[in-house]
Amino acid sequence: MDIWLLILGMLAITFVTRYSLFAFPDLRFPPLVRQGLHYVPTAVLSAIVVPGMLLPDGQHWALSWNNAYLLAGLAAIAIAACTRHLLATIGGGLLVFFLLRWAFGQLPI
């Protein structure tokens, strides 16, 4: 029963926040809020990716040269900075990651 109340509560909150933009079409955010919202996707993506790079097992810091997650993440950052191309960043990061895993003997073959 508690789970259903939690689900209904989340549904209500999500509906109200999304519907309010349609219910009040003249509602405009101040420029400072709009500027802050511009950085939300970057902050969310960083919050998801960086822990995976630094704590690949979820418990211990892995700041070493044999951390394929960290090195591939840094390579992807470099590719993104140089090319500004999303597909090149994803493909290059994955290629570096799998090559490093293979080089470190971490891939089952």
Side-chain angles (χ1 to χ4, degrees):
M1 183 62 178
D2 290 337
I3 292 178
W4 285 107
L5 289 175
L6 181 65
I7 291 172
L8 289 174
M10 290 187 301
L11 179 129
I13 291 171
T14 302
F15 178 78
V16 167
T17 56
R18 292 181 185 220
Y19 179 73
S20 64
L21 296 175
F22 296 111
F24 307 108
D26 296 331
L27 178 67
R28 299 284 180 245
F29 292 118
L32 185 62
V33 172
R34 277 188 275 142
Q35 184 180 5
L37 288 174
H38 177 73
Y39 297 103
V40 168
T42 305
V44 169
L45 185 60
S46 297
I48 293 170
V49 171
V50 171
M53 288 172 48
L54 300 176
L55 303 159
D57 65 354
Q59 297 178 8
H60 303 97
W61 290 95
L63 300 172
S64 63
W65 63 271
N66 62 352
N67 180 357
Y69 296 93
L70 177 61
L71 296 177
L74 294 174
I77 291 169
I79 293 168
C82 292
T83 66
R84 301 275 189 211
H85 192 268
L86 181 62
L87 192 56
T89 302
I90 294 169
L94 282 171
L95 180 66
V96 169
F97 175 72
F98 285 116
L99 286 174
L100 286 170
R101 294 280 304 246
W102 175 76
F104 296 152
Q106 299 171 344
L107 276 180
I109 294 177

